[in-house]
């Protein structure tokens, strides 16, 4: 299991509350991945450091708190870094250990114990450095169960990691090659680059095949006049739980972890009045700072949202960060070009978690007013009886169309 140090660089005007919530989310991501957080560090700065993103003084201070690096495997930074910055940070960790080793050796020399004493830093350890995208990709990779999801992750990884490999190659070529000669690194980089470009084309072709099949499924549903509801929302909001409760798909995977769902699956919602059905599509959840490359790679999975007739924006009402998360989801939908004239319902979920009755009533009233245009509905996806009204609304909807 990876022992991780978490670093978050925030703007100087970031509130204490928001700083805490950001760190909390990063901790959940690390936990979902299976890592253990050993240290947290938040640095306020208006501009990230050009070379290493994190200020080097602050970083050194953090590393100083370790007796040795036995207790550290990975540094996770809660921001999106440039490939070169990640590379520089990894180098920084190696150079730190080399410096420590030198200091130890000099001290042993002075003390006259150089023959018997061995520095704790004798064999520098490679500390991995991940940015937020790396961490999300690792979780995706761990959770992906379908071939399509795996291909989409590989595509996103190539797009994210590719420049880093080229960056390192550049470094190697500088070391290996003199003026006017082609360095070993450079040739290797070119080979790697060609290999990755070929692989990317192949993956894109394969993903297209899957996406064509899904399109045929969607067309066939449309031809039968079935309307599709897409469940959209922040990760862990309860989308899959809702799908399970609305449809007969009892094998839908639900888990208290981030990015439990990575594909898109559909189920049928039976409407008792009109004796017809709607299709419910569950898909991948969103998160703050989702990199565009990732959204792009998952376009075929997300097509279910883009082409749905109705959007159920599922919201965890018990979440302290509710408004921010609503906004993040809306922004990602805008990036995806989800048409604004789709019928949209705000499904305020996990109502059972709000224990104080008067607080709950007040919150409902506020949310009803604030989001009046999005048909606010208050439910607990875990309690089917709270879904009657929602199902009745859908039934009435089919009746008039
Ligand atoms: N108390 C309570 N817990 C809920 C409710 N709905 C979902 N949960 C829990 O919330 C967690 C996340 O639920 P999921 O349905 O997997 O959430 P999701 O939106 O599909 O999450 P991702 O697929 O990771 O994006 C699980 O532990 C569920 O049991 C609810 O109405 N009340
Ligand atoms: Mg899910």
């Amino acid at each position: 299991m990876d022992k991780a140090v978490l670093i978050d660089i925030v703007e100087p005007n970031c509130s204490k509350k928001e700083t805490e919530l950001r760190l909390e989310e990063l901790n959940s991501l690390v936990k979902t991945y299976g890592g253990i957080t050993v240290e947290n560090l938040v640095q306020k700065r208006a501009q990230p450091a050009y070379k290493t993103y994190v200020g080097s003084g602050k970083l050194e201070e953090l590393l100083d708190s370790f007796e040795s690096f036995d207790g550290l495997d990975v540094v996770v930074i809660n921001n999106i870094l440039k490939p070169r910055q990640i590379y520089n940070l990894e180098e920084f960790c190696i150079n730190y250990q080399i410096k420590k080793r030198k200091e130890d050796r000099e001290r042993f020399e002075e003390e006259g114990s150089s023959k018997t004493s061995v520095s704790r830093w004798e064999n520098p350890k490679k500390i991995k450095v991940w940015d937020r995208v790396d961490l999300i990709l690792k979780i995706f990779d761990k959770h992906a169960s379908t071939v399509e999801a795996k291909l989409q992750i590989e595509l996103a990884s190539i797009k994210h990691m590719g420049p880093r490999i080229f960056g390192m190659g550049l470094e190697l070529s500088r070391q290996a090659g003199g003026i006017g000669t082609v360095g070993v690194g450079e040739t290797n980089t070119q080979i790697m680059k060609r290999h990755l470009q070929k692989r990317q084309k192949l993956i894109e072709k394969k993903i297209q095949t899957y996406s064509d099949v899904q399109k045929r499924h969607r067309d066939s549903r449309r031809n039968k006049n079935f309307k599709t509801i897409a469940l959209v929302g922040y990760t862990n909001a309860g989308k899959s739980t809702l799908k399970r409760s609305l449809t007969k798909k009892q094998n839908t995977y639900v888990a208290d972890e981030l990015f439990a769902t990575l594909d898109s699956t559909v189920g049928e919602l039976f409407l008792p009045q009109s004796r017809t059905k709607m299709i419910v599509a569950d898909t991948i959840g969103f998160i703050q700072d989702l990199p565009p490359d990732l959204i792009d790679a998952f376009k075929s999975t997300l097509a279910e949202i883009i082409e749905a007739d109705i959007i159920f924006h599922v919201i965890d009402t018990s979440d302290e960060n509710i408004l921010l998360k609503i906004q993040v989801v809306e922004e990602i939908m805008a990036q995806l070009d989800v048409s604004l004239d789709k019928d949209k319902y705000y499904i305020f979920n996990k109502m059972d978690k709000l224990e104080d009755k008067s607080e709950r009533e007040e919150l409902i009233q506020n949310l009803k007013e604030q989001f009046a245009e999005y048909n606010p509905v208050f439910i607990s996806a875990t309690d089917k009886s709270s879904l009657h009204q929602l199902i009745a609304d859908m039934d009435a909807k089919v009746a008039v169309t």
Side-chain angles (χ1 to χ4, degrees):
M1 199 168 287
D2 281 317
K3 292 179 277 289
V5 158
L6 316 189
I7 303 179
D8 194 13
I9 308 290
V10 298
E11 306 243 327
N13 60 0
C14 187
S15 70
K16 188 161 177 266
K17 183 97 203 125
E18 198 187 334
T19 309
E20 272 171 23
L21 291 167
R22 278 179 63 96
L23 211 51
E24 209 175 283
E25 181 172 273
L26 183 62
N27 267 294
S28 318
L29 283 168
V30 169
K31 195 165 144 226
T32 299
Y33 170 69
I36 305 171
T37 303
V38 290
E39 195 79 62
N40 287 303
L41 172 83
V42 176
Q43 189 182 25
K44 286 198 170 186
R45 50 186 303 162
Q47 283 287 328
Y50 177 73
K51 276 195 170 161
T52 46
Y53 202 91
V54 188
S56 51
K58 201 79 180 164
L59 193 62
E60 184 141 356
E61 212 176 280
L62 178 74
L63 297 182
D64 278 342
S65 65
F66 287 87
E67 285 278 303
S68 76
F69 282 175
D70 289 342
L72 175 64
D73 301 298
V74 55
V75 175
V76 182
I77 297 160
N78 198 17
N79 310 80
I80 304 178
L81 270 66
K82 292 198 175 70
R84 163 66 54 186
Q85 290 167 328
I86 295 187
Y87 177 78
N88 287 342
L89 280 168
E90 285 178 346
E91 287 285 287
F92 189 97
C93 292
I94 289 286
N95 289 335
Y96 175 88
Q97 297 173 78
I98 293 174
K99 190 183 89 185
K100 284 283 192 192
R101 183 177 65 189
K102 187 162 169 271
E103 282 169 12
D104 276 356
R105 284 180 181 171
E106 282 168 5
R107 205 179 59 247
F108 298 151
E109 202 71 58
E110 263 172 38
E111 291 167 358
S113 59
S114 58
K115 294 236 158 35
T116 47
S117 301
V118 180
S119 164
R120 275 198 301 263
W121 308 96
E122 201 51 44
N123 300 309
K125 175 178 174 183
K126 168 132 171 86
I127 304 294
K128 292 171 281 188
V129 177
W130 296 343
D131 69 354
R132 186 174 171 87
V133 187
D134 288 319
L135 179 60
I136 293 175
L137 282 172
K138 303 262 175 207
I139 296 171
F140 275 27
D141 198 36
K142 199 172 148 200
H143 289 180
S145 55
T146 64
V147 179
E148 190 189 8
K150 284 192 168 72
L151 286 170
Q152 294 180 119
I153 293 159
E154 194 182 344
L155 179 62
S157 305
I158 290 178
K159 288 183 171 182
H160 183 62
M161 298 280 289
R164 200 174 312 169
I165 294 164
F166 312 149
M168 278 190 278
L170 215 73
E171 192 66 29
L172 288 173
S173 78
R174 258 216 314 273
Q175 285 165 6
I179 297 164
T181 59
V182 176
V184 184
E186 195 173 334
T187 19
N188 282 345
T189 313
Q190 277 160 359
I191 293 168
M192 191 59 135
K193 203 169 178 172
R194 266 202 301 279
H195 168 73
L196 286 182
Q197 278 165 348
K198 249 169 120 176
R199 181 80 195 142
Q200 180 169 342
K201 284 228 169 66
L202 183 73
I203 297 172
E204 279 167 346
K205 221 162 117 189
K206 282 188 185 167
I207 292 177
Q208 190 57 48
T209 322
Y210 281 97
S211 133
D212 292 344
V213 172
Q214 281 161 1
K215 187 165 180 343
R216 279 202 294 280
H217 285 293
R218 281 196 300 271
D219 288 347
S220 122
R221 270 156 26 201
R222 193 166 294 138
N223 289 339
K224 288 180 195 145
N225 262 334
F226 293 141
K227 292 234 178 300
T228 301
I229 303 169
L231 302 178
V232 181
Y234 210 84
T235 179
N236 209 43
K239 301 174 294 298
S240 301
T241 311
L242 181 58
K243 182 185 150 217
R244 195 155 75 172
S245 294
L246 286 175
T247 68
K248 292 202 179 68
K249 289 264 163 125
Q250 294 313 313
N251 58 350
T252 303
Y253 182 61
V254 165
D256 192 12
E257 53 186 28
L258 307 182
F259 302 115
T261 308
L262 280 181
D263 48 5
S264 64
T265 55
V266 294
E268 296 175 356
L269 163 65
F270 180 69
L271 301 168
Q273 283 296 318
S274 48
R275 304 197 62 76
T276 177
K277 62 188 180 188
M278 278 187 177
I279 306 296
V280 180
D282 174 30
T283 181
I284 181 172
F286 298 160
I287 197 166
Q288 197 174 8
D289 299 331
L290 205 57
D293 276 350
L294 209 64
I295 298 178
D296 206 43
F298 275 81
K299 264 263 159 78
S300 81
T301 296
L302 295 167
E304 209 54 81
I305 301 176
I306 300 167
E307 299 199 8
D309 304 286
I310 302 166
I311 301 281
F312 278 6
H313 179 166
V314 183
I315 298 151
D316 178 350
T317 323
S318 68
D319 194 309
E320 283 185 78
N321 234 352
I322 175 170
L323 295 179
L324 175 80
K325 289 188 176 177
I326 291 177
Q327 194 189 334
V328 167
V329 172
E330 288 298 337
E331 279 167 11
I332 295 175
M333 275 200 278
Q335 271 181 51
L336 284 171
D337 272 334
V338 175
S339 152
L340 292 174
D341 44 289
K342 276 191 209 308
D343 271 335
K344 200 190 280 179
Y345 288 74
Y346 272 19
I347 313 288
F348 289 98
N349 188 33
K350 305 200 189 180
M351 290 308 291
D352 58 294
K353 287 181 90 176
L354 305 172
E355 280 165 10
D356 187 302
K357 200 159 179 267
S358 67
E359 267 180 35
R360 190 174 60 207
E361 290 310 312
E362 197 187 322
L363 184 65
I364 290 180
Q365 209 44 48
N366 282 343
L367 294 170
K368 265 189 182 162
E369 279 168 26
Q370 198 172 347
F371 298 108
E373 60 185 311
Y374 300 126
N375 315 292
V377 185
F378 299 84
I379 63 151
S380 281
T382 40
D383 168 19
K384 282 191 194 177
S385 64
S386 71
L387 304 176
H388 288 322
Q389 189 56 47
L390 185 60
I391 296 173
D393 287 352
M394 292 303 115
D395 221 332
K397 203 172 180 61
V398 196
V400 293
T401 48

